[in-house]
Amino acid sequence: SLLIECLASIHAQTFREYEVIVVDNGSTDASCDEAQSRFSDTKFLRYAENLGFAEANNRALRVAQGELIALVNNDATLDPKWTRAMVHSLHSRTEAGAAAGRTLQAQHTERIDAVGFTYYSCGSASTWRGSSAQAFANSNHRPFGPNAAAAVYRRRALDAVGHFHAEYFCYHEDTDLAVRLVLWGYPTVYVPDAIAYHLGSHT
């Protein structure tokens, strides 16, 4: 299942100092049962209804213990060096509130799924989806904020600006959070060596 593939990629990370929390948002298949049997060191928060992306992640944030918080969609997988690259970048840039990696389309890996996003004054956002992956291979790129399908946030910044607003349910909750991070002086750093693969809209 998508969840098993996602968790397998997380457990294959070269950076090992982490905890894993899975939020089951009212799933109706057996994927979460299978994951619990295969990944016994993972914490599971299971709910009978779909709380929405925003509230589900907020509940995980409340029990997570790390100073850096990675959010990874269940239809995403991570390169083994993803976490190490993200952590190193945020340790090097102590003013940053979040990190955006180079997320590629899982079925067309030569194309970008998201490299963070830009935010326009009219209120719309763009993730550069469909662009060439090689066009974003260096760290000169400056996103407004990270796409939460595969991103890392600094807990200190989240505690300062507040977590996701649950009324967004899903989509643009990360845009709203990024606006608050920018207003509070927490920029997003771009990490091109942190590569993830995202199917998109699969659950």
Side-chain angles (χ1 to χ4, degrees):
S1 70
L2 295 177
L3 178 60
I4 297 300
E5 292 178 21
C6 174
L7 288 172
S9 76
I10 292 172
H11 284 80
Q13 294 295 294
T14 59
F15 184 89
R16 303 301 303 170
E17 298 175 44
Y18 61 79
E19 63 175 341
V20 181
I21 301 169
V22 173
V23 182
D24 178 9
N25 236 356
S27 65
T28 56
D29 62 10
S31 58
C32 208
D33 293 330
E34 181 185 0
Q36 278 193 281
S37 67
R38 290 185 57 171
F39 302 101
S40 58
D41 57 344
T42 296
K43 181 178 294 184
F44 287 80
L45 305 178
R46 304 189 69 167
Y47 301 100
E49 60 180 330
N50 184 357
L51 304 173
F53 180 94
E55 179 58 23
N57 277 292
N58 284 344
R59 295 194 184 193
L61 286 166
R62 287 196 286 269
V63 301
Q65 300 179 55
E67 64 170 288
L68 300 177
I69 308 293
L71 303 185
V72 183
N73 278 18
N74 69 323
D75 62 346
T77 57
L78 308 177
D79 177 86
K81 298 184 291 293
W82 186 88
T83 305
R84 185 175 298 279
M86 292 290 232
V87 168
H88 174 75
S89 180
L90 283 169
H91 281 173
S92 300
R93 294 277 304 278
T94 56
E95 82 283 6
R102 189 160 43 133
T103 303
L104 310 179
Q105 296 179 30
Q107 295 174 322
H108 303 282
T109 57
E110 76 283 0
R111 295 292 173 189
I112 292 295
D113 182 77
V115 280
F117 61 85
T118 187
Y119 182 63
Y120 300 104
S121 58
C122 64
S124 65
S126 172
T127 64
W128 293 276
R129 179 176 170 82
S131 300
S132 166
Q134 288 306 308
F136 293 88
N138 64 67
S139 58
N140 294 332
H141 177 58
R142 293 288 182 271
F144 183 86
N147 181 289
V152 177
Y153 294 89
R154 194 183 303 277
R155 176 181 289 281
R156 170 168 49 87
L158 292 178
D159 290 344
V161 308
H163 296 173
F164 292 114
H165 284 164
E167 59 266 32
Y168 280 95
F169 197 77
C170 66
Y171 300 119
H172 291 296
E173 69 293 311
D174 49 2
T175 311
D176 169 75
L177 177 56
V179 169
R180 286 181 275 133
L181 288 170
V182 168
L183 289 174
W184 280 72
Y186 292 107
T188 292
V189 60
Y190 176 56
V191 191
D193 294 335
I195 297 174
Y197 305 91
H198 184 217
L199 284 165
S201 301
H202 271 63
T203 55

